[in-house]
Amino acid sequence: MRKESARLWEQAKEDLDTAEKLLEVKRYYASVFFSEQAAERVLKAMYLEKKWRVAFTHGLMEIAEELESPPDICRAAAELSPDYVMTRYPDAANSVPAKLYDADSAETHLNLSRQVIRWVKRELKLEI
């Protein structure tokens, strides 16, 4: 694995751990954000490994499609992608982001992120 890809993978693991911890302390919007970040980083790591160039987008669906991901991964990417903005900006969310998410939605997003991570791990044949 290229050094840049390995760094993305390592940070994704940290982001997933952060999402899990934030869920435990009921910071649901932040957990959702870090779930999205973990998925984004592993998809970008895979993109870098497969395409030999950086994906200059935060659109998970766009990256997943360019990687010819299976339908379940594309669905996960589509579900996670809006949270890059929605969890951070009240004007984008038309509300206070902290009020938009609950335990169920945070758990759902965490599971979607795990699904993407497992798929990338299999595709890249990672042992880590």
Side-chain angles (χ1 to χ4, degrees):
M1 180 178 261
R2 296 173 62 175
K3 180 171 65 172
E4 300 90 343
S5 304
R7 287 178 176 167
L8 284 165
W9 182 261
E10 185 176 342
Q11 185 60 47
K13 291 191 305 183
E14 290 294 325
D15 290 342
L16 188 67
D17 184 58
T18 299
E20 291 166 349
K21 286 177 173 50
L22 288 166
L23 177 61
E24 290 171 13
V25 296
K26 301 179 181 179
R27 294 293 185 234
Y28 304 124
Y29 77 99
S31 175
V32 168
F33 173 73
F34 279 98
S35 292
E36 183 279 337
Q37 287 290 280
E40 182 176 335
R41 290 186 210 283
V42 297
L43 286 172
K44 285 184 172 185
M46 184 173 177
Y47 192 92
L48 190 56
E49 288 296 303
K50 300 271 184 182
K51 305 282 187 181
W52 286 86
R53 56 189 159 89
V54 175
F56 289 108
T57 181
H58 297 289
L60 275 62
M61 190 65 194
E62 181 181 344
I63 299 168
E65 286 176 344
E66 286 193 38
L67 289 169
E68 299 178 4
S69 305
D72 61 324
I73 299 304
C74 287
R75 281 191 297 277
E79 182 70 29
L80 289 164
S81 199
D83 296 305
Y84 175 75
V85 174
M86 298 288 286
T87 55
R88 299 174 21 205
Y89 302 110
D91 56 331
N94 290 322
S95 184
V96 175
K99 294 180 178 182
L100 293 177
Y101 301 93
D102 60 16
D104 288 338
S105 62
E107 185 71 42
T108 296
H109 285 80
L110 192 55
N111 287 331
L112 291 168
S113 185
R114 288 177 180 138
Q115 179 183 1
V116 172
I117 291 167
R118 281 191 305 268
W119 177 73
V120 170
K121 185 177 179 179
R122 278 192 314 270
E123 288 294 306
L124 294 180
K125 296 173 178 53
L126 297 174
E127 298 297 321
I128 51 179

